[in-house]
């Protein structure tokens, strides 16, 4: 419902290769760490966004989307649903082309706002699951 196959494909293949991953830290036990590694294997530049601003997978981290000194194409959100809406709003302000809410992350109002702003968006899906399906 919040990410038909065509939207998923478009984000993964047409929206650009610079992905800001909000919630990505150097903690190898967290899902974001593994998903970011998969995205890198598929040619995406992964930019960590976390209050600690750690370097992860060889990429400099930033404490917020606003702090990233270059354009990002997709904002991949690994935060709790109650914190995800403001991140989607920041993605719109940053000029991203798409927002991706990870498995279990759902905010219908944020989805509506983000789509109304002209961005592609999916919720409750994982790009590390979807990208290998593209073939």
């Amino acid at each position: 419902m919040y990410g038909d196959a065509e939207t998923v494909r478009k984000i993964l293949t047409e929206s650009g290769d610079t992905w800001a991953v909000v919630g990505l830290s150097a903690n190898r036990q967290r899902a974001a760490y593994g998903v970011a590694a998969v995205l890198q294997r598929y040619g995406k530049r992964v930019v960590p966004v976390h209050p600690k601003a750690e370097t992860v997978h060889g990429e400099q981290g930033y404490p917020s989307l606003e702090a990233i000194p270059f354009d990002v194409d997709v904002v991949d959100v690994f935060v709790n649903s109650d914190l995800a809406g403001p991140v989607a709003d920041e993605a719109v302000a940053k000029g991203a082309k798409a927002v991706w809410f990870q498995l279990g992350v759902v905010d219908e109002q944020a989805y509506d706002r983000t789509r109304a702003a002209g961005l592609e968006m999916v919720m409750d899906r994982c790009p590390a699951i979807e990208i290998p399906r593209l073939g």
Side-chain angles (χ1 to χ4, degrees):
M1 180 174 174
Y2 296 108
D4 60 89
E6 178 58 24
T7 302
V8 167
R9 186 202 60 74
K10 187 173 183 180
I11 292 172
L12 291 171
T13 64
E14 297 175 19
S15 292
D17 291 332
T18 301
W19 285 54
V21 182
V22 179
L24 175 57
S25 71
N27 183 343
R28 295 172 182 259
Q29 305 304 312
R30 304 291 298 185
Y33 190 90
V35 170
V38 171
L39 289 170
Q40 278 189 325
R41 281 198 301 274
Y42 281 87
K44 306 299 183 191
R45 178 182 183 190
V46 173
V47 182
V49 179
H50 190 279
K52 293 181 181 178
E54 298 171 297
T55 296
V56 184
H57 298 305
E59 289 285 347
Q60 168 64 48
Y62 297 91
S64 66
L65 288 174
E66 183 180 68
I68 300 172
F70 49 84
D71 292 340
V72 297
D73 300 310
V74 180
V75 176
D76 189 5
V77 182
F78 276 94
V79 299
N80 293 332
S81 295
D82 58 342
L83 303 174
V87 176
D89 297 336
E90 291 171 25
V92 171
K94 180 73 179 162
K97 298 173 189 158
V99 175
W100 192 298
F101 280 9
Q102 281 294 326
L103 288 172
V105 181
V106 175
D107 181 329
E108 294 177 9
Q109 290 79 23
Y111 180 88
D112 292 342
R113 288 193 310 273
T114 303
R115 296 290 296 136
L119 283 69
E120 298 290 342
M121 185 168 177
V122 298
M123 293 193 302
D124 197 25
R125 303 285 288 268
C126 180
I129 294 170
E130 301 297 337
I131 201 167
R133 294 177 177 171
L134 297 176

